[in-house]
Amino acid sequence: MSLVKNRMSICNFVCILLLVAIIAVQLCVPFYTYHNEYKPDGAKKKVKEISTVSYGMAVWFAGDDYYESLVNHFKSKDMFGEIDKHGNEYGKVNGRKLKFNPDEMAYPHMYTVILAGFSIALFLMKRKSFMPSALSLAAGIITTKAFLTNRTIVLGGLYANRVVSDPRVCTINVVLGAVLICVAAFSLFGGFILNPLAKKKAAKKAAKAAKAAEA
Protein backbone atom coordinates (compact mmCIF):
# COMPACT_ATOMS: atom_id res chain seq x y z
CA MET A 1 0.00 0.00 0.00
CA SER A 2 2.89 2.34 0.77
CA LEU A 3 4.23 1.80 -2.75
CA VAL A 4 0.88 2.88 -4.23
CA LYS A 5 0.74 5.80 -1.83
CA ASN A 6 4.25 6.97 -2.76
CA ARG A 7 4.02 6.14 -6.48
CA MET A 8 4.11 9.78 -7.56
CA SER A 9 7.17 10.72 -5.52
CA ILE A 10 9.07 7.57 -6.58
CA CYS A 11 8.26 8.13 -10.26
CA ASN A 12 9.17 11.81 -9.98
CA PHE A 13 12.57 10.82 -8.60
CA VAL A 14 13.13 8.30 -11.41
CA CYS A 15 12.11 10.94 -13.98
CA ILE A 16 14.68 13.36 -12.60
CA LEU A 17 17.40 10.69 -12.74
CA LEU A 18 16.52 10.03 -16.39
CA LEU A 19 16.55 13.75 -17.18
CA VAL A 20 20.00 14.11 -15.60
CA ALA A 21 21.20 11.08 -17.59
CA ILE A 22 19.91 12.59 -20.85
CA ILE A 23 21.60 15.93 -20.19
CA ALA A 24 24.85 14.19 -19.16
CA VAL A 25 24.90 12.15 -22.38
CA GLN A 26 24.23 15.22 -24.50
CA LEU A 27 26.95 17.23 -22.73
CA CYS A 28 29.69 14.63 -22.27
CA VAL A 29 29.45 11.97 -25.00
CA PRO A 30 31.14 12.84 -28.35
CA PHE A 31 28.52 13.31 -31.05
CA TYR A 32 29.56 15.49 -34.02
CA THR A 33 32.72 14.72 -35.99
CA TYR A 34 33.72 17.47 -38.42
CA HIS A 35 36.60 19.09 -40.32
CA ASN A 36 37.78 21.88 -38.05
CA GLU A 37 39.87 24.94 -38.91
CA TYR A 38 40.74 27.35 -36.09
CA LYS A 39 43.55 29.60 -34.86
CA PRO A 40 44.98 28.64 -31.44
CA ASP A 41 45.73 31.44 -28.99
CA GLY A 42 48.96 33.19 -29.98
CA ALA A 43 49.29 31.30 -33.27
CA LYS A 44 49.66 33.08 -36.62
CA LYS A 45 48.27 30.32 -38.81
CA LYS A 46 45.07 28.33 -38.58
CA VAL A 47 45.19 24.67 -37.63
CA LYS A 48 43.27 22.08 -39.63
CA GLU A 49 42.14 18.89 -37.96
CA ILE A 50 39.25 16.48 -37.56
CA SER A 51 37.44 17.39 -34.33
CA THR A 52 34.76 15.73 -32.24
CA VAL A 53 32.35 17.51 -29.95
CA SER A 54 29.32 16.54 -27.89
CA TYR A 55 25.89 17.78 -28.91
CA GLY A 56 25.49 19.87 -25.75
CA MET A 57 28.90 21.54 -26.11
CA ALA A 58 28.07 22.45 -29.70
CA VAL A 59 24.87 24.10 -28.47
CA TRP A 60 26.41 26.02 -25.55
CA PHE A 61 29.58 27.13 -27.33
CA ALA A 62 28.39 27.58 -30.91
CA GLY A 63 29.91 31.09 -30.95
CA ASP A 64 33.31 29.95 -29.72
CA ASP A 65 36.19 30.11 -32.22
CA TYR A 66 36.93 26.42 -31.78
CA TYR A 67 33.39 25.41 -32.79
CA GLU A 68 32.98 28.04 -35.49
CA SER A 69 33.80 25.53 -38.22
CA LEU A 70 30.93 23.27 -37.12
CA VAL A 71 28.39 26.08 -37.47
CA ASN A 72 29.95 27.13 -40.77
CA HIS A 73 29.53 23.57 -42.06
CA PHE A 74 25.83 23.73 -41.27
CA LYS A 75 25.59 27.05 -43.13
CA SER A 76 27.67 25.86 -46.11
CA LYS A 77 26.45 25.01 -49.59
CA ASP A 78 27.00 21.34 -48.87
CA MET A 79 24.42 21.32 -46.09
CA PHE A 80 20.89 22.64 -45.67
CA GLY A 81 19.01 24.69 -48.20
CA GLU A 82 21.64 24.58 -50.95
CA ILE A 83 22.80 22.41 -53.86
CA ASP A 84 26.11 20.54 -53.75
CA LYS A 85 28.64 20.22 -56.56
CA HIS A 86 26.88 17.12 -57.88
CA GLY A 87 23.54 18.90 -58.18
CA ASN A 88 21.97 17.08 -55.23
CA GLU A 89 19.49 19.17 -53.28
CA TYR A 90 19.76 19.43 -49.49
CA GLY A 91 17.09 20.26 -46.94
CA LYS A 92 14.25 20.34 -49.45
CA VAL A 93 10.77 19.93 -47.96
CA ASN A 94 7.67 19.94 -50.18
CA GLY A 95 9.67 21.56 -52.98
CA ARG A 96 10.91 24.37 -50.73
CA LYS A 97 14.55 24.71 -49.68
CA LEU A 98 15.09 25.28 -45.98
CA LYS A 99 18.16 27.12 -44.75
CA PHE A 100 19.95 26.32 -41.49
CA ASN A 101 18.63 27.97 -38.34
CA PRO A 102 20.88 27.62 -35.25
CA ASP A 103 17.80 27.43 -33.03
CA GLU A 104 16.81 24.24 -34.81
CA MET A 105 19.90 22.51 -33.43
CA ALA A 106 19.77 24.16 -30.00
CA TYR A 107 16.15 23.92 -28.92
CA PRO A 108 15.96 20.19 -27.98
CA HIS A 109 18.88 20.46 -25.56
CA MET A 110 17.93 23.88 -24.18
CA TYR A 111 14.30 22.89 -23.57
CA THR A 112 15.41 19.68 -21.86
CA VAL A 113 17.75 21.59 -19.55
CA ILE A 114 15.02 24.13 -18.69
CA LEU A 115 12.40 21.43 -18.05
CA ALA A 116 14.87 19.45 -15.94
CA GLY A 117 15.64 22.52 -13.85
CA PHE A 118 11.97 23.20 -13.14
CA SER A 119 11.33 19.50 -12.44
CA ILE A 120 14.12 19.34 -9.85
CA ALA A 121 12.99 22.57 -8.18
CA LEU A 122 9.35 21.45 -7.99
CA PHE A 123 10.36 17.99 -6.76
CA LEU A 124 12.37 19.54 -3.92
CA MET A 125 9.41 21.75 -2.96
CA LYS A 126 6.74 19.05 -3.19
CA ARG A 127 7.73 15.49 -4.00
CA LYS A 128 4.20 14.23 -4.61
CA SER A 129 3.29 16.99 -7.07
CA PHE A 130 2.31 15.90 -10.57
CA MET A 131 4.28 18.74 -12.17
CA PRO A 132 7.75 17.06 -12.23
CA SER A 133 6.24 14.11 -14.09
CA ALA A 134 4.33 16.38 -16.46
CA LEU A 135 7.47 18.39 -17.30
CA SER A 136 9.46 15.17 -17.66
CA LEU A 137 6.88 13.83 -20.09
CA ALA A 138 7.33 16.94 -22.24
CA ALA A 139 11.14 16.61 -22.07
CA GLY A 140 10.94 12.94 -23.05
CA ILE A 141 8.80 13.73 -26.08
CA ILE A 142 11.15 16.55 -27.16
CA THR A 143 14.26 14.36 -26.81
CA THR A 144 12.78 11.33 -28.56
CA LYS A 145 11.40 13.35 -31.45
CA ALA A 146 14.60 15.38 -31.89
CA PHE A 147 16.91 12.37 -32.03
CA LEU A 148 14.62 10.63 -34.49
CA THR A 149 13.67 13.45 -36.86
CA ASN A 150 15.70 16.66 -36.32
CA ARG A 151 17.76 17.14 -39.49
CA THR A 152 20.58 18.92 -37.65
CA ILE A 153 20.94 15.97 -35.26
CA VAL A 154 20.18 12.91 -37.39
CA LEU A 155 22.75 13.37 -40.15
CA GLY A 156 22.92 10.68 -42.79
CA GLY A 157 25.68 9.86 -45.25
CA LEU A 158 24.54 12.75 -47.42
CA TYR A 159 26.43 15.16 -45.17
CA ALA A 160 29.45 12.96 -44.40
CA ASN A 161 31.80 15.24 -46.34
CA ARG A 162 31.09 17.97 -43.76
CA VAL A 163 29.68 16.70 -40.48
CA VAL A 164 28.94 13.20 -39.14
CA SER A 165 26.71 12.54 -36.13
CA ASP A 166 27.05 9.37 -34.06
CA PRO A 167 23.96 7.15 -34.52
CA ARG A 168 24.74 5.30 -31.28
CA VAL A 169 24.31 8.50 -29.28
CA CYS A 170 21.02 9.11 -31.11
CA THR A 171 19.88 5.63 -30.05
CA ILE A 172 20.87 6.23 -26.42
CA ASN A 173 18.90 9.50 -26.34
CA VAL A 174 15.88 7.90 -28.00
CA VAL A 175 15.90 5.01 -25.51
CA LEU A 176 16.29 7.31 -22.50
CA GLY A 177 13.59 9.62 -23.87
CA ALA A 178 11.19 6.72 -24.46
CA VAL A 179 11.77 5.32 -20.94
CA LEU A 180 11.23 8.82 -19.52
CA ILE A 181 7.92 9.08 -21.38
CA CYS A 182 6.79 5.70 -20.01
CA VAL A 183 7.74 6.49 -16.41
CA ALA A 184 6.20 9.97 -16.52
CA ALA A 185 3.01 8.67 -18.14
CA PHE A 186 2.73 5.90 -15.53
CA SER A 187 3.25 8.47 -12.79
CA LEU A 188 0.52 10.74 -14.13
CA PHE A 189 -1.79 7.79 -14.77
CA GLY A 190 -1.28 6.63 -11.20
CA GLY A 191 -1.69 10.08 -9.72
CA PHE A 192 -4.88 11.01 -11.57
CA ILE A 193 -6.55 7.59 -11.93
CA LEU A 194 -5.07 4.82 -9.75
CA ASN A 195 -4.60 6.88 -6.58
CA PRO A 196 -8.19 8.26 -6.57
CA LEU A 197 -9.49 4.73 -7.14
CA ALA A 198 -7.37 3.43 -4.28
CA LYS A 199 -8.68 6.21 -2.02
CA LYS A 200 -12.29 5.40 -2.92
CA LYS A 201 -11.67 1.74 -2.25
CA ALA A 202 -10.09 2.53 1.11
CA ALA A 203 -12.99 4.85 2.00
CA LYS A 204 -15.55 2.13 1.19
CA LYS A 205 -13.60 -0.37 3.26
CA ALA A 206 -13.47 2.06 6.18
CA ALA A 207 -17.24 2.72 5.88
CA LYS A 208 -17.99 -1.01 5.96
CA ALA A 209 -15.75 -1.46 8.97
CA ALA A 210 -17.53 1.41 10.74
CA LYS A 211 -20.96 -0.11 10.05
CA ALA A 212 -19.78 -3.50 11.24
CA ALA A 213 -18.49 -1.90 14.45
CA GLU A 214 -21.81 -0.14 15.05
CA ALA A 215 -23.74 -3.37 14.57
Side-chain angles (χ1 to χ4, degrees), residues 66-149:
Y66 186 78
Y67 303 111
E68 184 180 1
S69 294
L70 179 63
V71 177
N72 288 339
H73 285 324
F74 280 116
K75 294 178 179 179
S76 71
K77 292 182 179 180
D78 285 341
M79 293 295 277
F80 309 115
E82 299 289 349
I83 298 176
D84 69 5
K85 61 182 179 181
H86 302 294
N88 299 317
E89 295 177 342
Y90 290 79
K92 198 170 184 180
V93 178
N94 296 326
R96 184 168 60 91
K97 296 174 186 175
L98 301 177
K99 292 185 178 180
F100 170 68
N101 182 353
D103 293 341
E104 190 176 355
M105 181 177 73
Y107 87 81
H109 177 73
M110 299 299 295
Y111 287 174
T112 302
V113 171
I114 292 170
L115 290 170
F118 278 111
S119 295
I120 293 171
L122 292 169
F123 177 75
L124 293 175
M125 288 189 290
K126 191 174 182 181
R127 294 187 177 186
K128 294 183 180 180
S129 170
F130 73 93
M131 284 303 297
S133 291
L135 296 176
S136 297
L137 180 63
I141 293 172
I142 290 171
T143 299
T144 303
K145 182 181 178 183
F147 283 86
L148 282 174
T149 63

Side-chain angles (χ1 to χ4, degrees), residues 1-75:
M1 187 68 184
S2 60
L3 182 62
V4 175
K5 193 174 182 181
N6 297 317
R7 180 189 291 106
M8 185 70 81
S9 60
I10 293 171
C11 288
N12 282 340
F13 181 69
V14 174
C15 285
I16 288 172
L17 290 180
L18 289 168
L19 281 169
V20 172
I22 289 172
I23 293 171
V25 169
Q26 292 181 6
L27 282 173
C28 303
V29 180
F31 184 63
Y32 291 118
T33 301
Y34 62 100
H35 295 280
N36 194 10
E37 185 176 340
Y38 68 100
K39 185 183 292 185
D41 293 338
K44 295 181 179 180
K45 294 183 179 180
K46 287 187 176 181
V47 175
K48 294 182 180 180
E49 63 180 13
I50 295 177
S51 298
T52 303
V53 63
S54 68
Y55 168 59
M57 292 294 285
V59 170
W60 286 105
F61 298 101
D64 191 273
D65 290 341
Y66 186 78
Y67 303 111
E68 184 180 1
S69 294
L70 179 63
V71 177
N72 288 339
H73 285 324
F74 280 116
K75 294 178 179 179

